[in-house]
Amino acid sequence: MIPPILHQTWKTDSVPARFHAYADSWKRHNPNWTVMFWSDRMLLEFVAEHYPDFLPMFCSYTNGVQRSDAARCMLLHHFGGIYADIDCECLAPFDPIMDETRVVLCKEPASHAAIQADLRGLPYLLFNGTMASPAGHPFWIQVLSLMRRLASAKNVLDATGPCLLTSAQLAYSDQAAFAIHPSGLFTPVTPAGSAKREAGDDTAALSIHHWAGTWWIPEPPPTWRTRLRNRAYRLRYQLTRGAYLDEAEAKASVDKAVLSAPPPSGRNIAVLVPLRDAADLIQPFLDALDGLDYPKDRIKLVFCEGDSLDGSWERLQAATAGLAGKYRDIVLLRRQVGTRLDRAKRAKPSMQRVRRGAIAKVRNHLIDHGLKEDDDWALWIDIDVWRFPGDVLNRLIATGHRIAVPNCVKIAGGGSFDLNSFVIRRQTKDYRYYREIRGGLHQPPAQTPNRYHLGDVRHLDIIGLDAVGGTMLLVDAALHRGGLRFPETPYRDLIETEAFGVLANDLGVRPVGLPKLEILHVPW
């Protein structure tokens, strides 16, 4: 059962006076409990002694709330009992739940959780500010193991907080291990101060969370200097953005009839591969394709080479010559774009408009000359993707969505390599946005908090995406035939695959990403 132990944490040994009454409330309603207070230093010693395997993860956190989130799981696993945030007030004795042999959790108020849950496709969010558990429950080890895979996630909610906790609970093999209550049990008041109960929630409240937000720093209101800077950067953007694709024109170019169609029922795949200066990668790539556990008579290979200086075209012809009859068809195309880029400088922001615009032209050439009516799906794969699960195609198709991508990484379990697949989060178009525009393209730093990449939400099975990458990209071929192409000039400050994903969203087709489905890019 749940032992009568209360765990609370704070940065130092001295808790601010404003929280003293809340701390006293637990002792008043539960006088026979053992109270264990933990400072950050005490938690460090505890983790080092009892959970040394998780110590590197614990020490890697730069945000104190992440250490607190991780430590509360270890405390509940080691000692059991009740964990309560320092801004939680006890309203009544906890006797009604102390006989539980399950982990006791409650949901966050729906009005508070809706944005974060909807963004991640979660049915609800669990509140991690007050939790109860028997000692030694294996669920907490699963939570900690998931945290280890998300140590570098941008958002605390995904790295250690309620989003991760919810995903861990939903994925746990034994759902009978939980007593999940409505928000009224521990969080009857929303951050906005509303005490209105949600429909059907007649739970007797045992505690209340006062949402002090000790770890969250709100954005200050803009000063006159900030407003002036916003106008200046926006003006610079308007004067220097160059040619761009008009939104209305881009939408009008797509046949509206294809947008409302369901995913294809057929299983013919056209694997579309753009390549340039990739002679040494061609044969290994073909070997990797051979490992797909998908019927070869359903697969058509379509390659498009252009502007290579290393004999890629000749190597491609030789490597595919012996494959006739193995696949449904093999098509070799060439498209000379005429761009000459120094590979050592190809990642520079100033190069991206030209570089990615050229790639978009090659992709569109593949659509025009490589896709036919008997192709149900287009599977885009970059030539430098060298390893992927044999069932990757089936798993992408099984999403039931018309556009889907896996998580492309360089190191298994590492951060996302394909940063063109992302979710845009609370992005304000202020001076910070416009100063990140290069060549008419928004190119923020890789660690920008306004973009979630698939590696940031690896606790999820699937998530809707605002933009997609092309290292591996599954698309309903009917969308391509109906005019959904890769913008060759900036569309809403993005280009190529990113702009393709944004345009698809604008047309009502939501791409999805599979954070746990990893493919490997060559590590250079």
Side-chain angles (χ1 to χ4, degrees):
M1 295 184 294
I2 298 170
I5 303 172
L6 173 68
H7 303 279
Q8 292 197 295
T9 66
W10 186 246
K11 306 166 191 176
T12 65
D13 293 333
S14 178
V15 176
R18 60 187 173 126
F19 298 127
H20 287 178
Y22 302 153
D24 291 341
S25 70
W26 293 93
K27 302 171 187 176
R28 184 170 66 254
H29 289 292
N30 306 281
N32 297 320
W33 280 13
T34 298
V35 177
M36 302 183 75
F37 174 81
W38 303 86
S39 67
D40 282 359
R41 178 54 190 265
M42 294 169 67
L43 288 175
L44 180 63
E45 299 285 354
F46 167 75
V47 174
E49 180 178 356
H50 297 287
Y51 295 88
D53 289 349
F54 294 101
L55 184 61
M57 174 192 78
F58 187 80
C59 293
S60 73
Y61 292 136
T62 57
N63 192 321
V65 71
Q66 291 176 287
R67 291 189 291 275
S68 173
D69 284 344
R72 69 190 65 178
C73 298
M74 300 180 204
L75 292 170
L76 289 175
H77 179 259
H78 186 75
F79 295 102
I82 311 293
Y83 169 83
D85 278 347
I86 204 72
D87 57 349
C88 289
E89 178 183 3
C90 187
L91 301 179
F94 266 52
D95 295 348
I97 67 169
M98 299 306 287
D99 288 339
E100 277 283 4
T101 59
R102 300 174 291 178
V103 174
V104 180
L105 302 166
C106 85
K107 300 175 183 178
E108 291 199 4
S111 58
H112 174 235
I115 294 176
Q116 301 297 346
D118 290 348
L119 177 69
R120 295 162 177 82
L122 296 170
Y124 50 78
L125 279 190
L126 292 175
F127 177 58
N128 73 340
T130 303
M131 304 181 290
S133 174
H137 199 291
F139 170 65
W140 300 113
I141 296 300
Q142 177 164 313
V143 176
L144 291 168
S145 297
L146 195 54
M147 282 183 188
R148 183 149 35 191
R149 301 187 66 201
L150 285 149
S152 60
K154 294 188 183 76
N155 195 308
V156 170
L157 301 179
D158 296 297
T160 58
C163 294
L164 178 137
L165 177 68
T166 306
S167 290
Q169 178 263 314
L170 291 169
Y172 196 64
S173 59
D174 180 14
Q175 288 298 302
F178 305 103
I180 307 294
H181 293 267
S183 62
L185 184 69
F186 299 144
T187 57
V189 174
T190 70
S194 172
K196 183 180 179 181
R197 290 296 187 97
E198 296 172 1
D201 183 1
D202 56 358
T203 310
L206 299 182
S207 63
I208 185 171
H209 185 218
H210 289 282
W211 305 96
T214 55
W215 65 274
W216 179 68
I217 302 175
E219 183 82 10
T223 65
W224 68 267
R225 288 187 178 87
T226 301
R227 291 192 291 268
L228 180 62
R229 187 181 298 175
N230 289 344
R231 287 195 290 268
Y233 273 94
R234 181 176 176 83
L235 178 61
R236 187 187 75 168
Y237 158 76
Q238 292 171 335
L239 294 174
T240 61
R241 69 184 298 192
Y244 61 93
L245 183 59
D246 179 73
E247 292 184 34
E249 179 184 341
K251 294 177 185 178
S253 66
V254 181
D255 182 359
K256 302 300 182 291
V258 306
L259 299 176
S260 57
S265 57
R267 299 188 64 219
N268 280 350
I269 306 291
V271 176
L272 306 177
V273 186
L275 66 103
R276 172 181 175 176
D277 290 328
D280 292 340
L281 298 174
I282 292 170
Q283 188 57 55
F285 179 80
L286 291 171
D287 294 340
L289 282 181
D290 192 48
L292 286 173
D293 61 1
Y294 201 86
K296 299 295 188 291
D297 61 355
R298 292 284 190 180
I299 298 175
K300 178 176 74 175
L301 304 183
V302 188
F303 294 86
C304 185
E305 182 277 333
D307 298 308
S308 295
L309 300 176
D310 68 344
S312 287
W313 176 248
E314 291 75 19
R315 186 78 64 88
L316 179 63
Q317 289 177 307
T320 57
L323 299 179
K326 183 173 183 176
Y327 291 94
R328 182 165 58 94
D329 195 8
I330 298 176
V331 179
L332 305 184
L333 303 171
R334 300 194 82 179
R335 173 71 160 89
Q336 304 292 345
V337 180
T339 57
R340 291 288 182 266
L341 297 176
D342 183 345
R343 290 190 65 84
K345 299 178 180 179
R346 63 195 299 271
K348 287 184 175 293
S350 59
M351 299 286 102
Q352 298 317 297
R353 180 168 182 143
V354 172
R355 186 181 76 86
R356 299 193 63 194
I359 297 172
K361 292 176 182 177
V362 174
R363 291 190 187 277
N364 291 331
H365 188 76
L366 277 160
I367 291 173
D368 294 336
H369 300 280
L371 280 184
K372 304 300 179 185
E373 288 298 324
D374 61 346
D375 296 319
D376 301 302
W377 293 99
L379 180 68
W380 298 90
I381 312 181
D382 281 357
I383 195 74
D384 39 13
V385 171
W386 72 284
R387 181 170 291 180
F388 37 80
D391 64 349
V392 65
L393 247 176
N394 288 315
R395 291 168 69 179
L396 290 171
I397 293 172
T399 64
H401 290 263
R402 303 176 74 187
I403 304 175
V405 297
N407 184 10
C408 182
V409 299
K410 283 187 175 182
I411 302 169
S416 294
F417 169 76
D418 192 343
L419 300 182
N420 297 328
S421 293
F422 57 79
V423 183
I424 300 172
R425 172 183 174 267
R426 294 193 306 184
Q427 181 169 269
T428 302
K429 289 193 174 182
D430 58 11
Y431 74 92
R432 290 166 293 192
Y433 174 89
Y434 291 114
R435 76 182 177 189
E436 294 167 351
I437 299 285
R438 297 290 184 275
L441 302 180
H442 186 220
Q443 301 180 62
Q447 292 304 311
T448 178
N450 295 321
R451 288 185 181 182
Y452 293 162
H453 300 106
L454 293 178
D456 295 318
V457 289
R458 196 177 267 110
H459 56 92
L460 301 175
D461 292 315
I462 188 170
I463 187 171
L465 295 175
D466 294 312
V468 297
T471 49
M472 182 178 284
L473 168 65
L474 182 72
V475 181
D476 180 348
L479 291 172
H480 281 325
R481 289 192 293 265
L484 185 55
R485 299 162 64 87
F486 297 91
E488 299 170 12
T489 53
Y491 173 81
R492 290 182 55 188
D493 304 331
L494 299 169
I495 200 168
E496 200 228 338
T497 57
E498 290 178 331
F500 172 85
V502 171
L503 177 56
N505 273 287
D506 288 348
L507 292 167
V509 180
R510 182 69 166 165
V512 297
L514 279 65
K516 297 178 183 177
L517 177 55
E518 291 187 348
I519 65 171
L520 295 180
H521 189 279
V522 293
W524 56 79

